[in-house]
Amino acid sequence: AMPSQEFCDSEVFRVQCQSDEVIFIQSAMYGRERLNRCMKQHFGYECTRDVTVVLDAMCSGRRLCNVKILSETFAPILPCHNDLKSYLEVSYKCIKGE
């Protein structure tokens, strides 16, 4: 399994598997959990939502996937304050296609 990776707002989550493999999204969380390269300052509260089902629909079963991380994509399920940047943390792997 790949370690989870973080994608800041406006960055692109891009996966390309081998020709005989497809993407399997293990987990995807959107919001803010802790300080990292996307968050230089802590605002005192955390807010995160499981968006695995969203990334799964966009990427799972495909060999290639590009998702630009835009707050609009996740807005309907995100309770974070608008002024605070959120990021996507995703864990995935390439698995042999059937």
Side-chain angles (χ1 to χ4, degrees):
M2 299 273 301
S4 65
Q5 293 176 274
E6 289 153 3
F7 297 87
C8 309
D9 213 38
S10 298
E11 289 184 350
V12 176
F13 166 57
R14 184 173 195 279
V15 185
Q16 182 165 3
C17 297
Q18 303 293 331
S19 58
D20 62 341
E21 293 180 330
V22 295
I23 300 162
F24 172 65
I25 300 291
Q26 293 173 291
S27 70
M29 301 297 290
Y30 185 76
R32 294 186 312 279
E33 293 188 273
R34 59 180 178 277
L35 292 179
N36 55 37
R37 68 184 186 84
C38 300
M39 277 179 66
K40 302 286 183 254
Q41 188 180 350
H42 204 285
F43 292 99
Y45 75 98
E46 299 171 2
C47 112
T48 183
R49 283 288 178 270
D50 189 325
V51 293
T52 306
V53 69
V54 180
L55 265 288
D56 190 58
M58 292 175 166
C59 298
S60 285
R62 301 179 183 195
R63 188 175 80 85
L64 178 66
C65 187
N66 286 296
V67 178
K68 188 162 188 185
I69 309 310
L70 295 171
S71 50
E72 300 87 81
T73 309
F74 305 105
I77 41 180
L78 194 72
C80 291
H81 192 281
N82 290 340
D83 296 342
L84 305 181
K85 289 288 185 201
S86 294
Y87 63 92
L88 177 77
E89 184 170 326
V90 60
S91 175
Y92 67 91
K93 58 185 177 182
C94 289
I95 56 173
K96 292 283 183 195
E98 294 305 312

